[in-house]
Amino acid sequence: ILMVDEKGKNMKCLTFFLMLPETVKNRSKKSSKKGNSSSSSSSKLPPVCYEIITLKTKKKKKMAADIFPRKKPANSNTTAVQQYHQQNLNNNNTIPAPNWQGLYPTIRERNAVMFNNDLMADVHFVVGPPGGTQRLPGHKYVLAVGSSVFHAMFYGELAEDKDEIRIPDVEPAAFLAMLKYIYCDEIDLAADTVLATLYAAKKYIVPHLARACVNFLETSLSAKNACVLLSQSCLFEEPDLTQRCWEVIDAQAELALKSEGFCDIDFQTLESILRRETLNAKEIVVFEAALNWAEVECQRQELTATIENKRKVLGKALYLIRIPTMALDDFANGAAQSGILTLNETNDIFLWYTAAKKPELQFVSKPRKGLVPQRCHRFQSCAYRSNQWRYRGRCDSIQFAVDKRVFIAGFGLYGSSCGSAEYSAKIELKRQGVILGQNLSKYFSDGSSNTFPVWFEYPVQIEPDTFYTASVILDGNELSYFGQEGMTEVQCGKVTVQFQCSSDSTNGTGVQGGQIPELIFYA
């Protein structure tokens, strides 16, 4: 029988010996021979004796996980286990069944049962803003092991012995996600709560959860949320995420500026975007985005969205828009008639466009540099023949993959081998059959063996280590040049591109030869 004291420190083995009657007789005879004065006392020896031995072992200790492989509980306990997991989802449910510990072989699993559970809870948190609070149970020891902030809160020199702690600046769903990581060692993130979870992880110094949140944001980053994430990444001091946001905003600037998320950014982030030298967008798009932001900002400040108030909330950021670099038509039909500019500003900008002696302007008059596109050429030579390369509505297609995230802006295509000619081109970019980008346009070739660019409306984000399908359907009467000696792998700057044949190709294009000689991209 194992005996343990109240603190669980000293473990002893209590061993009982059952004495048979014959053994008792023998022992009594031996006692009488030695001259014991009372023979009767020897015959009354107790039938049971015991001794206490301290348990010692030199074997290497094993964790429960080493002894019990992780597997589903036996059928008899399955229902109970499912009930306990369900109780974790419902707040403030205790476990009524005895010996629930026996259902879980590892300390990790038993610890997870305590997540969001009132059983043995010694602290409660009232989480969320007024009107949207949720009361959540906690266990100080578990929380202190998972967070240095909780350790200082409960066991530090300035620790306060409170049974209830209010946390108005953290959303309940985000706080639960953090608790689930601390109790269960599980990361459960969702797109609509990941930013709030990152805030909670930063506040309570749970670095591994914070890193998981940043990784989640990086993988889900797109033009639609890049501006909002840029604002948040600066707030959370995450330079890697900030850099990733700028990459997306630069390459897909027009999509980012037209997104709803752009209107949700703070003024400081607005200024940083308007200052951006590598912003790859027309200036009229930047101007319209700034006006949309100003209208929403008026609502946030409870102002009527008048021209005067829009200009007021924009402040000096208005002069970061490079209005003098707009195309004249864009200025005349857009900015000049928006009402946001004063009469003197409008006149001076018109003079800037037309006069030999240009007036001084408060607006930045130097065009943005934008991004320089890179070209990945996959053929070592090109040729033409009397019966190739012919187009009658058939598809030329090739598959490719990259080792770094890039943004495909368009394709370089061969032109006529019989003099000048015009082609109609429908270009398309797919991933696992899903169309990511397409465009229908025309291009004019001058009869040379050069490639001619055909662009998508917006650059398409390409993730690494995944094959995409590039396709083009050309329509033209003239034969064209075609590529030869194709390469399966091409190094283009810091990006490695791999090519393989596509089953969509019905006009002869493949790795070794054909059309689509170039991928045009930003990296």
Side-chain angles (χ1 to χ4, degrees):
I1 298 175
L2 294 179
M3 299 181 64
V4 187
D5 67 3
E6 292 181 355
K7 296 183 180 180
K9 291 183 178 179
N10 299 319
M11 180 179 289
K12 297 180 182 297
C13 179
L14 185 63
T15 308
F16 286 86
F17 296 90
L18 180 62
M19 308 299 291
L20 297 176
E22 295 179 0
T23 308
V24 176
K25 284 183 179 181
N26 295 335
R27 291 186 62 182
S28 62
K29 289 179 180 178
K30 292 179 181 178
S31 300
S32 61
K33 289 181 180 180
K34 290 181 181 178
N36 288 341
S37 59
S38 177
S39 60
S40 60
S41 63
S42 63
S43 62
K44 296 180 181 180
L45 288 173
V48 177
C49 66
Y50 65 88
E51 60 179 327
I52 296 176
I53 323 167
T54 302
L55 289 181
K56 296 181 181 180
T57 176
K58 295 183 179 180
K59 294 183 179 179
K60 183 179 179 181
K61 294 181 180 179
K62 291 186 178 181
M63 302 301 291
D66 298 327
I67 302 173
F68 301 101
R70 189 174 179 83
K71 59 183 179 181
K72 293 183 179 180
N75 293 335
S76 60
N77 295 331
T78 301
T79 303
V81 172
Q82 290 174 346
Q83 289 176 353
Y84 299 158
H85 283 308
Q86 184 62 35
Q87 288 167 354
N88 289 152
L89 302 177
N90 302 324
N91 190 27
N92 297 341
N93 282 324
T94 58
I95 296 178
N99 194 30
W100 60 268
Q101 295 90 340
L103 300 174
Y104 302 93
T106 67
I107 185 63
R108 177 179 176 274
E109 291 173 298
R110 293 191 291 275
N111 204 47
V113 174
M114 294 294 98
F115 164 60
N116 197 22
N117 198 318
D118 256 327
L119 182 66
M120 295 184 286
D122 51 2
V123 67
H124 284 81
F125 300 94
V126 180
V127 186
T133 60
Q134 187 173 348
R135 193 170 187 267
L136 303 174
H139 307 78
K140 292 181 179 180
Y141 167 74
V142 179
L143 295 170
V145 169
S147 162
S148 58
V149 175
F150 283 129
H151 181 272
M153 185 185 299
F154 299 135
Y155 302 106
E157 294 180 357
L158 302 178
E160 297 183 12
D161 189 15
K162 291 183 178 180
D163 294 332
E164 188 173 274
I165 299 173
R166 296 187 176 274
I167 307 176
D169 58 329
V170 178
E171 295 180 11
F175 196 79
L176 273 172
M178 182 180 69
L179 292 185
K180 187 172 185 179
Y181 172 75
I182 293 175
Y183 278 80
C184 312
D185 201 23
E186 294 179 12
I187 297 176
D188 187 9
L189 301 175
D192 55 344
T193 59
V194 63
L195 280 173
T197 305
L198 177 59
Y199 174 78
K202 287 280 188 177
K203 177 178 180 178
Y204 292 98
I205 312 180
V206 187
H208 296 290
L209 179 60
R211 185 67 253 170
C213 291
V214 172
N215 291 339
F216 183 94
L217 291 171
E218 288 182 353
T219 56
S220 60
L221 183 62
S222 68
K224 293 181 180 180
N225 59 19
C227 295
V228 173
L229 293 184
L230 175 67
S231 177
Q232 296 297 320
S233 66
C234 295
L235 175 66
F236 294 134
E237 297 181 349
E238 289 289 343
D240 293 340
L241 180 58
T242 301
Q243 179 59 33
R244 280 287 298 115
C245 290
W246 277 125
E247 290 174 5
V248 174
I249 293 171
D250 283 343
Q252 297 180 302
E254 295 193 0
L255 281 176
L257 293 171
K258 292 178 180 179
S259 68
E260 294 182 4
F262 178 79
C263 296
D264 296 330
I265 62 177
D266 58 275
F267 183 76
Q268 185 177 357
T269 305
L270 174 71
E271 284 188 309
S272 64
I273 292 176
L274 296 182
R275 284 195 183 96
R276 191 72 174 172
E277 192 70 30
T278 50
L279 211 59
N280 197 36
K282 295 179 181 177
E283 206 61 33
I284 186 62
V285 176
V286 179
F287 177 79
E288 292 171 349
L291 290 189
N292 292 336
W293 179 90
E295 184 173 352
V296 176
E297 181 64 17
C298 286
Q299 297 175 6
R300 284 193 286 264
Q301 297 186 21
E302 299 182 352
L303 299 172
T304 305
T306 61
I307 295 297
E308 292 76 14
N309 285 336
K310 288 181 182 179
R311 179 158 181 140
K312 177 182 177 182
V313 297
L314 280 172
K316 294 182 179 180
L318 177 64
Y319 298 110
L320 299 175
I321 306 172
R322 308 188 183 194
I323 296 178
T325 67
M326 290 181 186
L328 182 57
D329 288 347
D330 289 340
F331 173 72
N333 298 318
Q337 298 186 41
S338 66
I340 202 74
L341 302 177
T342 65
L343 184 60
N344 288 336
E345 288 170 343
T346 303
N347 290 337
D348 286 346
I349 294 173
F350 265 121
L351 289 175
W352 175 270
Y353 281 109
T354 57
K357 185 178 179 180
K358 301 184 183 299
E360 291 186 3
L361 301 174
Q362 286 185 279
F363 295 92
V364 179
S365 56
K366 183 181 179 181
R368 301 180 195 271
K369 294 179 180 178
L371 294 176
V372 179
Q374 300 183 44
R375 294 179 179 240
C376 175
H377 198 92
R378 66 188 188 93
F379 295 125
Q380 299 182 66
S381 65
C382 66
Y384 69 92
R385 294 174 187 161
S386 59
N387 62 342
Q388 290 180 328
W389 204 263
R390 190 179 299 278
Y391 307 101
R392 291 178 180 174
R394 291 190 293 266
C395 179
D396 289 285
S397 182
I398 191 72
Q399 288 193 330
F400 70 93
V402 294
D403 64 341
K404 292 181 176 62
R405 185 180 286 109
V406 299
F407 301 86
I408 296 292
F411 305 145
L413 303 176
Y414 286 122
S416 171
S417 58
C418 306
S420 300
E422 186 178 62
Y423 291 90
S424 174
K426 179 184 178 181
I427 59 173
E428 195 173 76
L429 193 58
K430 294 188 296 185
R431 177 183 179 180
Q432 298 178 348
V434 178
I435 297 176
L436 304 178
Q438 60 182 359
N439 198 19
L440 179 62
S441 61
K442 294 183 177 181
Y443 70 96
F444 182 81
S445 66
D446 56 10
S448 69
S449 60
N450 297 329
T451 58
F452 301 91
V454 180
W455 306 95
F456 289 104
E457 184 178 4
Y458 302 109
V460 180
Q461 182 169 314
I462 302 298
E463 297 298 330
D465 304 322
T466 302
F467 274 95
Y468 293 77
T469 303
S471 303
V472 59
I473 297 177
L474 289 171
D475 189 10
N477 295 325
E478 299 296 336
L479 300 175
S480 79
Y481 288 91
F482 60 90
Q484 294 184 136
E485 301 178 276
M487 296 174 284
T488 58
E489 184 173 298
V490 179
Q491 187 71 32
C492 188
K494 296 181 179 180
V495 180
T496 302
V497 186
Q498 293 180 321
F499 294 96
Q500 69 181 23
C501 293
S502 169
S503 58
D504 293 347
S505 188
T506 57
N507 200 43
T509 290
V511 174
Q512 296 301 318
Q515 261 285 9
I516 318 181
E518 286 182 339
L519 299 177
I520 305 173
F521 65 93
Y522 302 115

